[in-house]
Amino acid sequence: HILEKHHSALAREEVIKHLLPETYRQALENEKLDVLSLPEISDVQMEGGSGLRYKATVEIKPVIEIKNYKKIQIKKRSNEVTDEDLNKTLEEVKKMRKVDEINEEFAHGLGYASLEEFENALKRQIGTQKESQNKMQFEHDVIDHLVKNSKFTVPPSLVKRRYEELKEDLRKYLEQSKLSKEEIEKKENELNQRLEEQAREQVQTFLLLDEIAKKENIARDNTMPTAVMEFLFKNAEWVE
C-alpha cells in the first residue's frame, strides 16, 4: 500500500506539472490578462474527475494611456567635429600629460607619424563620442515626450524589484573597487535615493515601450526596447 500511494503521488505530481502551465496560459488568454510577473501558485487541488484547481496570484500590467507617440519632434544635432571641439580636447590632453605644447615631437612620442595624424585620430574619437552623446540625447527626448503624454501608475513592486537589482549591482561594483566595508556602506547610503529614482524611471520607460510594442505588433522579447526606439525614430519629425 505504501508503494502504491508513493506511485500515485508521483503520478499526480506529473499530471499537475503537465497541466498547470497549459491551464495557466489558457486562463491568461481567456481573461485577456497582461501579466508582469511569474505566478505564485497555491491551493492546488486535483480530486477524481473534477480536474485541476489552483490559485494563481499574479501582478497585472497597469492600464496605460499613451498618446502622440508618432511624429515626436526631435531636434537634430550635428556629429561634426569643430575646431573648437578639437582645441578643447587638445587643452585637456595638455593638462593630462602635463606638457606646455602639443607639437610634432609630442605626437611622435605617442606613436603618430605627425601632429596632423594625431589630430585626425583625436577628431575621429571626438566624432564617435559626439555621435554616442547625441543618440543618448535623442532617446532622452523621446522618453521625456512619452512620459509627458502618458498616464498610469508605476507598480511599486516592480520598482522595488528593480531597485534591489540596481543595489546589488552597485554593491558588486563597490566591492571590486577594494573599498573598506565602512566606505561601501557610506557610498550605498549616499546613492540609495538616486537608485530609487533610477529604478522608477527604468520601470516606467520599459512599460511605456512595452505598451507601444503591443499596439504596433512589435515582438515583446529581449530586443523590444531597441526595436521600439527604432520605430519611434523612424516615425519622428526631425527638426532643425
Side-chain angles (χ1 to χ4, degrees):
H1 287 299
I2 293 173
L3 190 61
E4 196 175 295
K5 284 182 180 178
H6 177 67
H7 282 294
S8 175
L10 285 177
R12 180 176 178 273
E13 282 181 23
E14 285 303 313
V15 170
I16 289 172
K17 279 181 189 175
H18 177 73
L19 288 179
L20 202 148
E22 181 59 30
T23 56
Y24 172 70
R25 184 188 63 78
Q26 194 63 51
L28 293 185
E29 287 181 8
N30 292 345
E31 299 297 326
K32 293 182 170 54
L33 297 177
D34 201 349
V35 301
L36 291 170
S37 61
L38 292 172
E40 289 182 14
I41 304 297
S42 60
D43 300 338
V44 180
Q45 298 173 25
M46 191 176 175
E47 299 297 336
S50 62
L52 178 65
R53 293 169 61 86
Y54 58 90
K55 179 180 177 183
T57 305
V58 294
E59 184 159 28
I60 305 297
K61 182 180 174 184
V63 175
I64 298 176
E65 295 177 25
I66 181 169
K67 56 186 180 179
N68 304 327
Y69 62 84
K70 293 180 182 177
K71 303 295 181 189
I72 297 173
Q73 283 201 346
I74 302 177
K75 191 178 186 315
K76 292 180 181 177
R77 297 171 186 273
S78 174
N79 294 333
E80 182 186 352
V81 179
T82 64
D83 290 339
E84 184 183 352
D85 293 328
L86 178 60
N87 291 332
K88 182 182 176 185
T89 304
L90 287 171
E91 284 301 315
E92 289 171 357
V93 171
K94 275 186 190 178
K95 292 182 181 106
M96 285 168 55
R97 296 281 177 168
K98 294 181 171 57
V99 294
D100 296 325
E101 187 181 357
I102 304 290
N103 52 24
E104 294 282 340
E105 185 181 354
F106 178 83
H108 291 161
L110 293 178
Y112 292 94
S114 66
L115 178 59
E116 183 181 10
E117 190 179 302
F118 171 62
E119 289 182 343
N120 286 338
L122 271 186
K123 283 180 182 178
R124 288 192 295 272
Q125 186 179 331
I126 297 166
T128 300
Q129 289 173 346
K130 259 195 166 184
E131 188 176 346
S132 176
Q133 288 168 356
N134 285 342
K135 189 178 179 188
M136 285 176 64
Q137 188 60 52
F138 295 149
E139 290 178 353
H140 178 272
D141 292 346
V142 166
I143 297 302
D144 189 53
H145 174 92
L146 295 178
V147 169
K148 287 176 181 174
N149 285 271
S150 65
K151 186 180 179 184
F152 69 101
T153 302
V154 181
S157 61
L158 282 190
V159 175
K160 184 181 179 184
R161 193 183 312 158
R162 183 58 185 147
Y163 167 70
E164 293 299 333
E165 291 170 353
L166 291 174
K167 195 173 177 182
E168 181 61 22
D169 289 344
L170 174 64
R171 173 168 281 274
K172 287 177 181 176
Y173 172 77
L174 291 175
E175 284 173 352
Q176 288 174 353
S177 64
K178 295 188 171 34
L179 293 172
S180 68
K181 188 178 177 181
E182 291 74 20
E183 288 172 319
I184 288 175
E185 288 178 359
K186 183 183 177 185
K187 279 281 182 187
E188 283 181 324
N189 291 333
E190 287 173 358
L191 295 171
N192 265 350
Q193 186 177 348
R194 181 61 193 133
L195 287 184
E196 286 181 24
E197 292 168 4
Q198 275 185 356
R200 189 182 185 285
E201 289 167 6
Q202 289 178 9
V203 170
Q204 184 179 37
T205 297
F206 176 83
L207 291 176
L208 284 168
L209 296 180
D210 184 64
E211 180 65 18
I212 293 171
K214 182 180 172 184
K215 288 179 183 292
E216 299 297 331
N217 294 317
I218 296 170
R220 295 163 79 187
D221 54 23
N222 291 340
T223 67
M224 181 277 290
T226 301
V228 174
M229 287 305 299
E230 286 176 0
F231 170 84
L232 294 172
F233 284 151
K234 283 176 186 174
N235 288 276
E237 285 186 356
W238 295 80
V239 297
E240 297 293 341

